[in-house]
Amino acid sequence: MSLSLNKYKNITICLSFLLIITKFLIYTTGRISLLTFIIWSIPIAIFIVKASINSAKAYQVFCFILLIYFLFVSLRVFGMTLFYIDLFELILIIYLFIHCLFGPRKINTVK
């Protein structure tokens, strides 16, 4: 079963919003500051705008940003006290990274 480009884009945007919501929950628990949350959310907000116009380049750049996010969340999950929201964030980042890897291919096959 193949997803249409519109459905693929909607899944990408929903996963990105879910990642922001997860980070906001981490902020509400007091594990990060408001400034960290805002700075962390800016690249995702830019990606959501670029993904909505089906930019293959945005998917490629966002994969690199997700690698940086993966490194930071890995430190919290494996290096400090484990918190279930951090583990959920790690799983979500991995899933979104894999999803974004196939974004350019999906965009280029439709065009």
Side-chain angles (χ1 to χ4, degrees):
M1 183 173 114
S2 178
L3 290 173
S4 70
L5 183 59
N6 194 29
K7 286 182 184 178
Y8 195 86
K9 175 181 67 172
N10 290 339
I11 291 171
T12 304
I13 292 170
C14 288
L15 287 172
S16 300
F17 275 124
L18 188 59
L19 191 57
I20 290 174
I21 291 168
T22 303
K23 197 62 156 182
F24 182 74
L25 289 174
I26 293 170
Y27 161 71
T28 59
T29 61
R31 295 174 58 85
I32 61 170
S33 67
L34 180 61
L35 182 64
T36 303
F37 169 71
I38 291 171
I39 291 172
W40 186 90
S41 298
I42 290 171
I44 297 175
I46 293 169
F47 170 68
I48 290 171
V49 171
K50 294 290 188 177
S52 65
I53 59 171
N54 297 326
S55 170
K57 188 84 151 172
Y59 279 91
Q60 294 168 343
V61 170
F62 193 59
C63 281
F64 287 108
I65 292 170
L66 285 172
L67 286 175
I68 295 169
Y69 288 170
F70 175 81
L71 291 173
F72 284 121
V73 76
S74 294
L75 291 173
R76 284 197 326 272
V77 170
F78 299 115
M80 300 176 195
T81 305
L82 178 64
F83 193 57
Y84 66 94
I85 297 177
D86 291 335
L87 186 60
F88 180 71
E89 181 186 8
L90 178 70
I91 293 168
L92 189 59
I93 287 173
I94 292 169
Y95 185 72
L96 187 58
F97 177 79
I98 293 169
H99 181 80
C100 286
L101 280 176
F102 293 103
R105 180 177 178 197
K106 184 70 173 174
I107 290 170
N108 289 334
T109 57
V110 173
K111 288 185 178 179

